[in-house]
Amino acid sequence: MIIYHLSTECYPVAKVGGLADVVGALPKYQNKITGIEAKVVMPWYNKAFVYDHGFDIIFDGFIHQGPNMLQVQVLKEKTDALGFELYMVRIPGLLDRDNPYGYDDESFQFLAFQHGVLHWLSAMEIRPDILHCHDYHTGLVPFMIEHCYEFKFLKGVKTIGTIHNGEYQGMMSWNMANYMPSFDAYKWGLLDWNGLINPLASMMKCSNAFTTVSEGYLEELFISFRGLESLVREEFSKAYGIINGIDAEVWNPETDPMMDFNFTIKNAVEQKKKNKEKLCKEYGLKPDLPLFAFIGRFATEKGADLLPDVVWKSIKQSYGALNIMILGSGNPYIENKLKEYDFYYSNFALDLGYKEYLSHKIYASADFLLMPSRVEPCGLNQMYSMRYGTIPVVRYTGGLRDTVEDISTGGAGLNFTYPGVDDIIHAVNRGVSLYQEKDVMKNLIYANMKFDFAWEKSAAKYIALYNK
Ligand code: ADP
Ligand code: GLC
């Protein structure tokens, strides 16, 4: 069975968040299953990876986007270095930039990507068994292959859409229809949601099946889905929740080259201590106090707006009995507030920016990882932290509730239900008390490290769905 994953991110080529981790790992694990050939198609970016690897131009053609004629080149990485065939679509002027997101003309970019991929496949008469579309950026593909005249060759190819984050739907005005490949206008309803073209809604309507990245999140979409609640009800018969895994080859504390002192479950306690001492030294923190960390985008869905108050209140209320370290960037108001507290509080360290290596060091060093997410479709941070013996302190939502159980009910993490400053601090205080009990902490480190979030299980679930 031949599967093409279509995505705007793929680790280590280009990563903004968990989507990249998933698309960089899932096909690799699918390829270990007999009879499966999984490949990835993504836009071309001006990133180190494309210069460090050899590529062949395997296709060079043109598409029309409204009045504009665009060159489309498809480049294939020569050695399948990632464990799968990697194709990058380059469209000068649109898909030849530094980053996946952040441009005003993103609707044009994503339309061109989807159009370009389908044009290449049709022109070269490549007919995959499954087109697996990730998030709204590729959400129009299921519609396009059925209802755009240009892609007759692909009609009937099965499509799966995966919703990594329903907060982003890619809505655009109907004027943009002029920039799509011509389609059967009678079918306009399959693109529309409340008077706009909504790629995520269209993906749910037109794909053969769609998935969310945890079962818990799928349940929540019925009550909170930025206006698509009734659609998920209508299309429920083809909805599936499949939890993400983690790439145990990349995220392995025994071999991880990005951390300072590697460890196994046998020497985790001592080695984690060494990692923590080094990190605390570098950031002026106090190694004898518990270290709580947050890693992520400064967005309200992550509860990042609550962090500044959590920082000053928890340090004040505990009379400085804990350290907090934050790695991330995003909303400038949050950044500025945190910078201010970084200046005032010696128990708090901030590193603004995106630093892959530092995230590994923090997972390896921290005692607790804080995730006050308002919305968390799956969440990978808690799984990485658990594998690195760091106790997750998470809001009970989406994928977090599917993966982290509170110690009070036999689990190895800490949960809280309401995303509010006082509730977070209450959970943090539970962590501070636990920290005093060395034996309990040791057992929690072991228990967390023993959790199995390997991709194999979820990769097999996707294959079962493709077969269906
Ligand atoms: P999301 O995709 O919603 O941001 P996930 O938990 O699925 O959330 O994945 C986030 C990924 O991005 C993880 O691999 C995490 O380690 C990484 N990450 C987030 N922010 C940073 C950062 N500032 N520096 C390094 N890695 C980060
Ligand atoms: C999205 C979600 C996150 C999930 C990731 C990978 O970015 O916000 O919860 O883990 O996709 O599926």
Side-chain angles (χ1 to χ4, degrees):
M1 188 191 300
I2 298 180
I3 301 128
Y4 279 65
H5 289 272
L6 311 184
S7 167
T8 48
E9 296 179 45
C10 174
Y11 181 81
V13 190
K15 168 168 170 178
V16 175
L19 171 62
D21 290 358
V22 171
V23 176
L26 173 60
K28 187 167 83 177
Y29 287 91
Q30 288 182 330
N31 279 339
K32 294 183 184 181
I33 301 172
T34 318
I36 301 297
E37 214 181 301
K39 308 156 194 267
V40 170
V41 187
M42 68 187 298
W44 189 92
Y45 301 110
N46 189 29
K47 292 271 185 206
F49 185 94
V50 303
Y51 300 105
D52 297 344
H53 291 76
F55 282 84
D56 290 318
I57 298 179
I58 55 148
F59 180 76
D60 204 340
F62 290 93
I63 56 172
H64 287 94
Q65 190 175 65
N68 308 317
M69 188 159 95
L70 303 174
Q71 185 188 10
V72 176
Q73 286 187 327
V74 181
L75 294 88
K76 181 183 176 297
E77 195 271 323
K78 284 184 180 185
T79 61
D80 302 344
L82 302 181
F84 47 81
E85 290 179 7
L86 172 72
Y87 299 89
M88 299 186 85
V89 178
R90 182 159 64 192
I91 300 185
L94 283 178
L95 302 183
D96 57 353
R97 302 193 184 157
D98 290 347
N99 298 305
Y101 318 119
Y103 304 100
D104 291 341
D105 56 353
E106 68 155 48
S107 298
F108 290 94
Q109 291 187 289
F110 301 144
L111 278 181
F113 175 55
Q114 299 171 89
H115 190 162
V117 172
L118 299 183
H119 174 69
W120 156 53
L121 296 176
S122 311
M124 300 307 287
E125 301 201 343
I126 301 168
R127 206 179 141 86
D129 294 299
I130 305 277
L131 282 171
H132 190 147
C133 306
H134 294 268
D135 269 348
Y136 81 85
H137 324 106
T138 58
L140 294 173
V141 164
F143 175 87
M144 285 181 180
I145 63 170
E146 285 305 315
H147 306 297
C148 291
Y149 307 110
E150 220 177 305
F151 311 128
K152 258 197 217 110
F153 177 78
L154 294 170
K155 211 170 162 67
V157 167
K158 302 291 179 218
T159 52
I160 303 276
T162 291
I163 302 173
H164 293 263
N165 198 331
E167 297 291 290
Y168 303 94
Q169 302 177 1
M171 279 98 86
M172 51 191 156
S173 96
W174 267 100
N175 292 339
M176 289 303 292
N178 297 323
Y179 298 91
M180 286 180 60
S182 327
F183 58 87
D184 178 357
Y186 189 66
K187 301 286 188 230
W188 70 274
L190 294 172
L191 295 170
D192 186 81
W193 194 256
N194 282 340
L196 293 170
I197 296 178
N198 183 320
L200 198 73
S202 178
M203 178 167 104
M204 292 164 67
K205 293 180 193 182
C206 300
S207 57
N208 294 97
F210 65 91
T211 65
T212 57
V213 287
S214 69
E215 285 178 19
Y217 185 56
L218 180 56
E219 281 170 23
E220 287 168 14
L221 290 181
F222 282 81
I223 40 173
S224 171
F225 194 178
R226 296 222 169 247
L228 299 187
E229 298 79 4
S230 60
L231 184 60
V232 80
R233 258 162 236 257
E234 262 167 53
E235 301 290 351
F236 181 62
S237 61
K238 55 181 193 185
Y240 300 82
I242 302 181
I243 190 89
N244 291 329
I246 63 175
D247 190 339
E249 289 167 14
V250 175
W251 296 92
N252 182 352
E254 207 176 334
T255 53
D256 187 340
M258 292 190 235
M259 62 198 248
D260 293 303
F261 302 98
N262 291 102
F263 53 85
T264 62
I265 203 159
K266 288 199 185 113
N267 60 357
V269 174
E270 308 87 74
Q271 294 293 91
K272 271 184 78 70
K273 193 164 173 240
K274 284 197 214 162
N275 282 305
K276 180 179 169 188
E277 280 166 358
K278 185 151 187 285
L279 187 76
C280 285
K281 199 163 171 217
E282 278 169 33
Y283 284 87
L285 296 171
K286 299 164 181 148
D288 294 333
L289 299 178
L291 174 60
F292 290 79
F294 171 94
I295 300 171
R297 299 181 282 119
F298 294 170
T300 46
E301 70 195 75
K302 297 285 177 195
D305 51 309
L306 305 168
L307 290 173
D309 281 351
V310 169
V311 168
W312 77 262
K313 270 198 178 178
S314 61
I315 293 176
K316 271 224 148 132
Q317 286 177 4
S318 69
Y319 299 102
L322 77 170
N323 296 299
I324 303 182
M325 175 157 190
I326 293 181
L327 165 65
S329 60
N331 180 314
Y333 174 79
I334 301 173
E335 286 191 2
N336 287 335
K337 264 281 170 236
L338 291 174
K339 269 197 232 165
E340 204 178 295
Y341 296 151
D342 188 25
F343 180 75
Y344 281 122
Y345 296 107
S346 58
N347 295 46
F348 172 52
L350 172 70
D351 203 315
L352 286 177
Y354 187 92
K355 298 182 180 169
E356 190 73 25
Y357 73 93
L358 184 57
S359 73
H360 288 239
K361 281 183 204 284
I362 295 175
Y363 291 122
S365 309
D367 300 295
F368 300 93
L369 185 92
L370 197 54
M371 294 183 76
S373 309
R374 289 195 176 81
V375 180
E376 197 61 83
C378 175
L380 298 172
N381 298 21
Q382 80 279 14
M383 299 197 246
Y384 298 145
S385 84
M386 289 161 84
R387 184 147 164 82
Y388 284 45
T390 299
I391 300 161
V393 183
V394 306
R395 180 173 172 242
Y396 195 68
T397 185
L400 297 177
R401 68 182 166 109
D402 289 1
T403 51
V404 179
E405 193 183 343
D406 194 89
I407 49 171
S408 61
T409 52
L414 296 172
N415 287 335
F416 54 96
T417 42
Y418 182 74
V421 174
D422 293 331
D423 296 58
I424 299 169
I425 293 179
H426 179 72
V428 166
N429 289 341
R430 289 178 69 203
V432 174
S433 308
L434 276 179
Y435 187 77
Q436 315 309 324
E437 301 183 44
K438 294 295 163 207
D439 287 340
V440 177
M441 280 299 283
K442 263 189 210 169
N443 288 333
L444 286 176
I445 291 175
Y446 299 147
N448 276 298
M449 287 183 75
K450 280 188 195 151
F451 274 97
D452 178 13
F453 294 119
W455 257 117
E456 280 82 355
K457 273 185 277 172
S458 300
K461 283 189 187 163
Y462 278 110
I463 303 296
L465 181 58
Y466 299 155
N467 281 323
K468 207 168 170 184

